Amino acid sequence: MKKQNIDWSNIGFGYMPIGERFVSYYKDGKWDNGIMTTDSTVTISECAGVLQYAQTCFEGMKAYTTCDNKIVVFRPELNAQRMEDSCNRLEMPVFPKEKFVEAICKVVKANADYVPPYGTGATLYLRPYMYGSGPVIGVKPSSEYEFRIFATPVGPYFKGGAKPITIKVSDFDRAAPHGTGHIKAGLNYAMSLHAIVTAHNEGFDENMYLDAATRTNVEETGGANFLFITKDNKVITPKSNSILPSITRRSLMYVAEHYLGLEVEEREVAFEEVKDFAECGLCGTAAVISPVGKINDHGNEIYFPSGMDEMGPITRKLYETLTGIQMGKIEAPEGWITEIE
């Protein structure tokens, strides 16, 4: 299929309504078969559960054009599993995993002309989401739901290269122990908005959240997991039941161990340790890895030896290897790549 006539190298990282999206409705205790539609609007009751009590969750993923001109999606079954975990925690009906992946493939195939060409740095971003659509006035789960997937082409997260960012130790808590930090609930992101706006107003790119119970351990940022590299090249990521299990982070840890031969460790990371690491990165779907050059802890600045000019050497190897797998330049582990037929 011929690609759309878009200046792919210069589109931003934002929403562009396109072609078709998938919609399925849950009513009377079951999901319907779902439909594809060109209608980008949503009409719901003024008393819908999502509007009254924020009963909603979502996922984020991408479709790529590989170096051999195939259209692929990266590990969609993990997004399906994570959405199932989110639904269970929020008392929402699970959209079956196999139907989730099938719907993702339908959306990508229907919008194949919007999947940016290989080499442009752009991708097709996919947003599956679910919300309570039935009217609810008492505090309880909705009885009706909508599951939807839309797609939008997005430009490269970093234009001109990934320059290290500066982050601050936040005075706010991202998630409570035994709360909802481990799922992709919309309410988590609503709670982070004031903190990120505050950070931006103070001249920082992101927040570092510490654990809410003791404020001594590193958790994550508002939308990404941390990766740290020790001075002897061990890759470490924080462990906590309040951290969202990033698919990108899990993939990078696998790449570190099985492709680069590095030692990896998932464990509690005390903030006191951070000053001793050689490199730091934030990992997630949008950028894969955002290198961190400096952390500001209430005026006390921690600089990483990797510097403020470019990614550290291990971070770059991780980035290049994972993006190489996604783009078809490096052979992927079995099951990681779903090709759109």
Side-chain angles (χ1 to χ4, degrees):
M1 182 180 290
K2 188 177 180 181
K3 299 293 185 185
Q4 291 285 326
N5 185 24
I6 294 174
D7 185 3
W8 301 107
S9 297
N10 288 306
I11 61 174
F13 198 89
Y15 172 66
M16 179 193 303
I18 64 170
E20 297 186 56
R21 64 272 305 138
F22 178 84
V23 184
S24 181
Y25 300 93
Y26 181 90
K27 191 174 182 179
D28 299 327
K30 62 182 179 180
W31 288 103
D32 66 15
N33 292 327
I35 59 168
M36 297 293 293
T37 177
T38 58
D39 187 358
S40 62
T41 60
V42 173
T43 303
I44 53 176
S45 166
E46 64 183 351
C47 199
V50 62
L51 301 178
Q52 305 308 315
Y53 304 120
Q55 199 182 17
T56 181
C57 61
F58 69 98
E59 281 296 321
M61 52 204 301
K62 290 178 176 178
Y64 312 82
T65 301
T66 63
C67 60
D68 53 358
N69 211 35
K70 295 176 181 176
I71 295 177
V72 303
V73 181
F74 185 69
R75 309 191 77 179
E77 74 288 342
L78 292 187
N79 293 92
Q81 180 60 60
R82 192 167 63 182
M83 178 165 265
E84 178 176 316
D85 296 340
S86 297
C87 288
N88 285 331
R89 180 64 175 80
L90 296 173
E91 291 297 329
M92 301 169 72
V94 171
F95 194 76
K97 287 197 287 286
E98 65 279 1
K99 290 187 177 295
F100 178 105
V101 174
E102 182 182 302
I104 287 290
C105 293
K106 282 182 179 179
V107 171
V108 176
K109 189 171 183 178
N111 297 288
D113 54 333
Y114 284 98
V115 181
Y118 173 77
T120 61
T123 55
L124 186 70
Y125 187 85
L126 300 160
R127 172 53 60 84
Y129 63 109
M130 187 190 301
Y131 57 88
S133 56
V136 178
I137 198 68
V139 181
K140 63 179 181 179
S142 175
S143 60
E144 297 179 9
Y145 297 84
E146 290 187 29
F147 171 75
R148 305 176 71 100
I149 305 171
F150 68 81
T152 185
V154 295
Y157 199 79
F158 297 119
K159 289 193 174 182
K163 295 296 183 182
I165 63 175
T166 300
I167 65 177
K168 64 168 289 189
V169 177
S170 182
D171 292 321
F172 300 100
D173 293 328
R174 175 186 164 271
H178 314 295
T180 58
H182 63 295
I183 63 170
K184 208 164 175 65
L187 58 92
N188 293 344
Y189 295 81
M191 290 168 62
S192 74
L193 294 177
H194 179 62
I196 192 62
V197 169
T198 299
H200 288 168
N201 288 341
E202 294 175 355
F204 301 102
D205 298 293
E206 251 293 3
N207 288 291
M208 170 183 277
Y209 291 107
L210 304 180
D211 73 289
T214 70
R215 296 193 61 79
T216 59
N217 293 326
V218 176
E219 293 227 317
E220 61 170 280
T221 70
N225 285 180
F226 278 101
L227 281 181
F228 297 104
I229 314 298
T230 66
K231 290 174 182 175
D232 58 355
N233 295 338
K234 180 187 291 186
V235 183
I236 295 175
T237 188
K239 183 177 183 179
S240 164
N241 61 10
S242 297
I243 292 176
L244 184 73
S246 163
I247 293 163
T248 303
R249 187 258 300 165
R250 283 179 277 173
S251 302
L252 286 166
M253 295 294 277
Y254 184 93
V255 162
E257 183 175 10
H258 297 280
Y259 281 69
L260 302 180
L262 302 173
E263 188 176 350
V264 302
E265 190 174 6
E266 182 181 3
R267 61 167 173 80
E268 286 189 351
V269 175
F271 177 69
E272 201 52 42
E273 292 182 71
V274 171
K275 65 183 185 301
D276 299 320
F277 292 127
E279 301 174 38
C280 174
L282 311 181
C283 52
T285 299
V288 182
I289 304 179
S290 304
V292 176
K294 181 172 65 173
I295 297 174
N296 185 295
D297 177 21
H298 301 86
N300 178 37
E301 295 187 329
I302 300 171
Y303 289 87
F304 293 100
S306 51
M308 291 294 297
D309 294 324
E310 58 185 8
M311 281 188 175
I314 300 300
T315 302
R316 178 164 295 281
K317 284 181 181 179
L318 287 167
Y319 174 82
E320 290 177 348
T321 305
L322 185 58
T323 54
I325 289 170
Q326 292 171 333
M327 295 297 174
K329 294 188 290 185
I330 298 173
E331 186 175 355
E334 186 176 356
W336 277 29
I337 302 296
T338 297
E339 184 177 345
I340 308 301
E341 302 293 343

